[in-house]
Amino acid sequence: SFANCKNLTKFTVEGNFDILNIEERAFYRCGNIFEFTIAGNVTTLDIREMAFLHSSLRELRIPESVKALSIEKNAFSLCSELTKVDISADVTTLNIGNQIFYICEKLEEFTITNKVEDLTIGPRAFGCCKKLVKFEIPESVKNLAIGVSTFAQCESLEDFTIPGSVTSLNIDCTAFQECQSLTKFTIPESVTTL
């Protein structure tokens, strides 16, 4: 749609939509886009594979109006200016898929709505996010799965706490490889399946 639009800086979606589909490579290599805003009420949001790959997006916020959310692999990979992500969508199941934020080297803040109960963080989802210091799992999560190399080479990650709400936990043996600053990792007593 807008791939390689090198002068595009802001993109705003206004109005009320039942469904918003951001197609594959829609903003691929938009080197100057720093702001993408959903200003209206979107109920279903589908961000396809590589939609923002190699773009200059600085912040991503998915609003509470979203009741169904799908983000496909590599959707935000190599977004070199991305510093903050806020997923406030009104969803109970969230799948952060394969390499979604892979090599987002400036990503520092990542927030997930406290309505999520089933959380899956897929392979290399945050791999090489070198500025990510802390990752918080919301207190609402009951089932948590962390995949292959999910946080690999997050060299600034210091603290990873799993809340007491989690009862089922699945962590791949390579999930935190080469996290050289990781000093605190907590698995609560509430976990009955590991």
Side-chain angles (χ1 to χ4, degrees):
S1 298
F2 299 94
N4 289 301
C5 288
K6 298 190 185 301
N7 293 317
L8 182 65
T9 59
K10 297 171 75 173
F11 193 95
T12 304
V13 178
E14 297 180 341
N16 300 322
F17 296 91
D18 285 335
I19 300 171
L20 175 61
N21 290 323
I22 301 173
E23 295 296 329
E24 185 174 322
R25 296 177 185 257
F27 296 93
Y28 174 68
R29 286 196 181 274
C30 286
N32 286 309
I33 187 168
F34 62 88
E35 186 177 313
F36 180 87
T37 306
I38 299 173
N41 287 318
V42 173
T43 307
T44 300
L45 178 60
D46 188 2
I47 303 174
R48 301 280 169 86
E49 191 172 323
M50 298 184 284
F52 290 88
L53 180 70
H54 269 299
S55 77
S56 293
L57 199 64
R58 292 179 191 167
E59 290 189 11
L60 171 67
R61 183 179 180 276
I62 297 174
E64 290 181 29
S65 65
V66 175
K67 311 292 183 194
L69 175 63
S70 172
I71 307 175
E72 295 183 5
K73 69 178 184 178
N74 293 107
F76 298 95
S77 290
L78 295 159
C79 286
S80 59
E81 301 301 319
L82 187 64
T83 60
K84 183 178 180 180
V85 175
D86 178 6
I87 299 179
S88 295
D90 187 7
V91 293
T92 56
T93 300
L94 180 60
N95 182 6
I96 302 171
N98 191 351
Q99 297 186 353
I100 284 184
F101 298 101
Y102 186 57
I103 316 181
C104 289
E105 293 190 338
K106 291 185 180 178
L107 183 62
E108 296 177 353
E109 291 183 51
F110 191 90
T111 307
I112 303 170
T113 176
N114 61 4
K115 295 180 181 178
V116 172
E117 296 179 4
D118 298 300
L119 177 60
T120 301
I121 310 173
R124 297 176 185 83
F126 294 92
C128 297
C129 289
K130 295 184 182 298
K131 294 224 173 153
L132 191 64
V133 175
K134 190 176 183 181
F135 193 95
E136 291 189 23
I137 306 292
E139 291 282 350
S140 56
V141 173
K142 297 175 182 174
N143 303 304
L144 175 62
I146 302 172
V148 175
S149 300
T150 296
F151 294 95
Q153 296 178 306
C154 287
E155 58 188 35
S156 298
L157 186 64
E158 298 174 355
D159 184 2
F160 195 96
T161 302
I162 295 164
S165 58
V166 174
T167 56
S168 176
L169 177 63
N170 185 350
I171 303 176
D172 185 85
C173 64
T174 62
F176 294 89
Q177 66 183 6
E178 296 183 53
C179 289
Q180 298 170 357
S181 299
L182 189 62
T183 57
K184 183 182 178 185
F185 193 98
T186 306
I187 298 175
E189 292 180 6
S190 60
V191 173
T192 57
T193 305
L194 182 60

